[in-house]
Amino acid sequence: MRGAVVAAAAAAVGNMLQGWDNATIAGALLYMRRDLPALQAHPALQGLVVATSLIGATIVTTFSGPLSDSRGRRPMLIASALLYSLAGLLMLWSPNVPILLLARLVDGFAIGLAVTLVPVYISETAPPDTRGLLNTLPQLTGSTGMFLSYCMVFLITLAPIPNWRLMLGVLLLPALLYLLLTIFFLPESPRWLVSKGRMKEARTVLQMLRGRQDVSAEMALLVEGLTTGRDTAIEEYVVGPTDEAKVTLYGGMSSGLAPGSMFGSAVTLASRQGSMLDHLKDPVVALLDSLHDMNPPAGGTTDVPNLGSMIGVHDRPPIDWDEENSGDDDGDIAAPLLTMEGEAATSTVGIGGGWQLAWKWTEGVAADGTRQSTVKRMYLHEEQAEGVHAAALVSQSALCTKKEAEAEVEGGWREVLEPGGVRHALVCGVAIQILQQFSGISGVLLYTPQILEQAGVGVLLSRLGLRDDSASILISGVATLLMLPSIGVAMRLMDVSGRRSLLLWTIPLLVASLAVLVAASVAPMAAAAHAAVCTGSVVVYLCCFVMGFGPIPNILCAEIFPTRVRGLCIAICSLAFWLADIAVTYTLPVMLASLGLAGLFAIYAAVCCVALVFVALRVPETKGLPLEVIIDFFNVGAKGTLPNLHDDDDHY
């Protein structure tokens, strides 16, 4: 997967520049106040200097998603690199506050494009089993950028008269590097290419990203992702018996899931959990939690052979379909739904995460006597032979007439606003982005030197002969360095423990670290002890944040929306993110001055408690699932209830 790793790493440099900017503005603020008297006299203006970049990010976010849906992900990332370079030049010049505000605005444009689209780009190019790891790269590069920037700022503070313009203007150098990477190492997203009908280009990109020639199964998956499957239902099938020439998919048990199968048992358990929690837990959360918790059957799982693939839009699938059994006996598994002959039947290429893609072709006669045909896609979850059980998410396929397919793709705002899986996912995405920001991370990152300076951190390094401002920046850099191994742990666990589990483990630690900060601020203690406790709490907060609440909201938002409205939905989530970020950043200096550290961090701790409850009830586990399968689960959950299950064995 070297191609996917290189593309993800190149894209993630955009987040490194965001981290670089966060650290440089945090250090430069200490000297801006001395060089620009207006900032010293008006704390709100100081907040505006920081928040202007957030305003710029908010402005560009309102159209970056839809624009990336129409023009592509790659051109928007190249534009981000160009804007970073322009911002670096302006900040290096900055003769006064108005020019500085303009530079920060342009910088915000660049940040908004990168932060909005890098997770989308990585999610659309990464394979399902490493998507979480690769999408944690932006957090790693962002923290690395902060550390390198703090090192640079610390060296500048050792000068007799530190130059804050130089601190900010050095951004130009990594921005030019990012520009070269986006031009030479970023292919266009294959999912975006498929959405525009550019199948040949999409296949070429996929072959490069996956390092293999046969990408037919994934191409078929990408085509199916053009529709959202509003009518998604869970059904169960049996695959087998098989030999070298034939694979047979037997009759669907549509009146209820068979309780003996792994998937059926998962849904049963999810239903019971929902009643125990008084239906507070989202159906999608209950279903996916139970599915991920199920142990593999004894003897392991057997791959369901690939049942064929399609590229393009056709009136009829380019494979041999048998008509669906129309008998009265729903439990009859003796008649096949579809049969394949030849070499294709022996292929075992899936779509990732233990899922296979197949289609169900049905024909009938309408009331007016005309013959009608329907194709439904089936995301099959691999289970155990003999007589392999395959639970399926069944919904309308993209294999329809070209006119119908185009009507589906043009859904846009209508799809977002209508009740269904997309709106269901959007509520989850917007809420977790807002809660992330109100947990206080932007304030802690941007004002870490000032917070540590107020906590008396200079006492810890007084023997080194450093000024208080240099000491606070040095410790901020050390804290950022300690974040890097924490991110490494998160990268290792993101596709193993999962996104939801990391949040449920790390958010309580955020609450605990903030509570210690509050206690240290109100309890009498020696200056050195106070500084040590505050510093330790800030470090624990930052390390735990980058393991969970830092990267996961962006990862989730890049995973839970369908291809055709992903950019639009990401823009809405990012808009919520930036508005909350502006509110936190702009008000933090005033709150710090009026409430002190204790009051400020008590508010953040309360928000983290709310976030913990929200994650437990409303945030599903998405590890290992193909993007197109995730939205179908949301379509099931949007109906408000899980399938009705039967405890009898009538279907066998």
Side-chain angles (χ1 to χ4, degrees):
M1 297 300 175
R2 183 172 60 182
V5 173
V6 170
V13 174
N15 293 77
M16 186 191 81
L17 298 183
Q18 183 204 15
W20 182 287
D21 177 75
N22 284 343
T24 52
I25 192 62
L29 278 174
L30 299 174
Y31 305 100
M32 285 182 192
R33 291 181 296 176
R34 302 170 188 175
D35 192 33
L36 301 172
L39 299 182
Q40 185 72 31
H42 305 286
L45 186 59
Q46 174 185 327
L48 183 61
V49 169
V50 177
T52 298
S53 67
L54 308 181
I55 295 172
T58 304
I59 293 172
V60 80
T61 294
T62 58
F63 61 84
S64 62
L67 192 59
S68 74
D69 282 341
S70 62
R71 299 298 180 186
R73 320 306 191 202
R74 182 174 180 270
M76 296 298 100
L77 293 178
I78 293 175
S80 174
L82 289 171
L83 290 169
Y84 270 127
S85 302
L86 177 59
L89 284 173
L90 289 173
M91 286 189 286
L92 186 61
W93 175 42
S94 295
N96 50 46
V97 173
I99 297 298
L100 177 61
L101 291 176
L102 175 62
R104 298 292 298 161
L105 184 68
V106 174
D107 185 52
F109 292 159
I111 291 173
L113 287 174
V115 172
T116 301
L117 298 179
V118 167
V120 175
Y121 179 83
I122 295 177
S123 288
E124 292 186 343
T125 56
D129 55 346
T130 59
R131 190 175 62 239
L133 183 151
L134 294 180
N135 235 333
T136 312
L137 279 176
Q139 186 72 62
L140 178 64
T141 57
S143 297
T144 301
M146 290 181 62
F147 171 69
L148 295 176
S149 181
Y150 271 127
C151 292
M152 179 268 298
V153 171
F154 173 71
L155 292 176
I156 294 177
T157 63
L158 298 179
I161 304 178
N163 188 333
W164 61 266
R165 292 179 179 85
L166 181 60
M167 294 179 188
L168 297 177
V170 174
L171 175 70
L172 176 63
L173 298 179
L176 292 175
L177 171 64
Y178 183 42
L179 180 60
L180 294 176
L181 291 174
T182 55
I183 292 175
F184 294 107
F185 291 95
L186 283 191
E188 184 54 85
S189 161
R191 281 180 166 83
W192 182 83
L193 290 171
V194 167
S195 72
K196 300 303 177 183
R198 295 158 63 176
M199 301 298 178
K200 185 176 180 180
E201 293 177 62
R203 179 181 291 274
T204 301
V205 171
L206 267 181
Q207 289 170 339
M208 184 273 291
L209 292 173
R210 302 295 179 257
R212 64 173 185 265
Q213 291 299 308
D214 184 9
V215 292
S216 298
E218 191 166 359
M219 285 292 293
L221 176 67
L222 268 53
V223 172
E224 288 295 352
L226 298 178
T227 60
T228 57
R230 302 180 187 89
D231 59 343
T232 304
I234 300 177
E235 298 179 3
E236 180 141 333
Y237 296 84
V238 175
V239 178
T242 65
D243 54 40
E244 294 183 357
K246 178 183 291 187
V247 175
T248 304
L249 181 64
Y250 289 96
M253 305 169 188
S254 57
S255 61
L257 292 181
S261 72
M262 180 169 66
F263 198 86
S265 299
V267 179
T268 303
L269 180 57
S271 300
R272 291 172 182 169
Q273 287 179 341
S275 61
M276 291 172 62
L277 294 174
D278 297 325
H279 302 288
L280 291 177
K281 183 177 283 190
D282 191 298
V284 181
V285 176
L287 177 56
L288 288 178
D289 272 0
S290 301
L291 181 62
H292 287 298
D293 288 342
M294 297 300 294
N295 294 321
T301 59
T302 300
D303 288 346
V304 178
N306 181 40
L307 301 178
S309 61
M310 43 66 65
I311 301 299
V313 180
H314 304 271
D315 289 334
R316 185 178 178 93
I319 53 179
D320 233 358
W321 299 91
D322 285 347
E323 293 185 7
E324 183 178 16
N325 176 36
S326 57
D328 296 330
D329 186 2
D330 290 334
D332 181 15
I333 62 172
L337 289 178
L338 63 91
T339 301
M340 293 180 57
E341 304 285 349
E343 293 183 2
T346 63
S347 172
T348 58
V349 177
I351 56 176
W355 293 85
Q356 295 277 339
L357 174 61
W359 296 270
K360 182 168 67 173
W361 176 270
T362 61
E363 292 186 351
V365 179
D368 59 2
T370 60
R371 190 172 183 81
Q372 292 183 336
S373 59
T374 303
V375 180
K376 288 199 171 184
R377 67 165 174 259
M378 304 170 59
Y379 294 129
L380 295 162
H381 184 264
E382 300 173 2
E383 299 186 14
Q384 185 177 358
E386 300 170 354
V388 182
H389 286 103
L393 293 170
V394 182
S395 55
Q396 185 66 45
S397 173
L399 283 170
C400 51
T401 65
K402 185 175 181 181
K403 182 178 180 181
E404 290 169 342
E406 290 173 348
E408 281 286 314
V409 174
E410 293 173 357
W413 279 102
R414 178 179 59 81
E415 179 67 20
V416 172
L417 298 176
E418 284 182 350
V422 176
R423 195 174 74 176
H424 193 76
L426 188 60
V427 171
C428 175
V430 168
I432 197 170
Q433 292 284 13
I434 292 175
L435 288 171
Q436 183 211 51
Q437 287 307 298
F438 280 105
S439 69
I441 183 60
S442 293
V444 173
L445 286 176
L446 292 172
Y447 294 95
T448 294
Q450 295 184 55
I451 292 171
L452 294 179
E453 186 178 23
Q454 183 173 333
V457 75
V459 175
L460 300 179
L461 299 177
S462 58
R463 294 183 180 179
L464 298 179
L466 297 176
R467 299 190 302 265
D468 284 353
D469 51 4
S470 296
S472 63
I473 290 174
L474 177 60
I475 292 186
S476 299
V478 172
T480 305
L481 176 63
L482 294 175
M483 291 162 57
L484 299 182
S486 300
I487 299 171
V489 173
M491 295 177 71
R492 174 68 179 85
L493 297 177
M494 196 66 68
D495 293 307
V496 179
S497 297
R499 294 80 155 126
R500 174 179 164 82
S501 296
L502 281 175
L503 288 175
L504 292 176
W505 278 102
T506 56
I507 292 179
L509 295 177
L510 297 182
V511 176
S513 62
L514 291 170
V516 171
L517 272 175
V518 172
S521 300
V522 298
M525 61 179 65
H530 178 262
V533 171
C534 288
T535 301
S537 297
V538 169
V539 170
V540 171
Y541 175 91
L542 292 176
C543 290
C544 291
F545 188 88
V546 298
M547 287 182 64
F549 222 175
I552 290 176
N554 282 340
I555 294 175
L556 282 172
C557 289
E559 291 177 331
I560 59 179
F561 303 115
T563 300
R564 65 188 183 134
V565 291
R566 183 171 290 124
L568 176 59
C569 292
I570 286 292
I572 296 172
C573 292
S574 296
L575 181 62
F577 169 92
W578 290 116
L579 290 175
D581 198 354
I582 290 172
V584 170
T585 305
Y586 186 73
T587 59
L588 190 141
V590 178
M591 294 176 65
L592 192 60
S594 59
L595 300 177
L597 285 174
L600 179 65
F601 290 117
I603 293 174
Y604 291 158
V607 174
C608 286
C609 291
V610 174
L612 181 62
V613 175
F614 178 80
V615 170
L617 297 179
R618 299 298 180 197
V619 176
E621 181 56 73
T622 58
K623 67 174 182 179
L625 295 173
L627 297 182
E628 289 71 17
V629 173
I630 294 172
I631 186 58
D632 267 10
F633 273 111
F634 272 95
N635 288 325
V636 173
K639 299 175 183 178
T641 58
L642 292 168
N644 293 322
L645 305 177
H646 302 278
D647 294 327
D648 54 72
D649 293 331
D650 291 344
H651 297 306
Y652 288 95

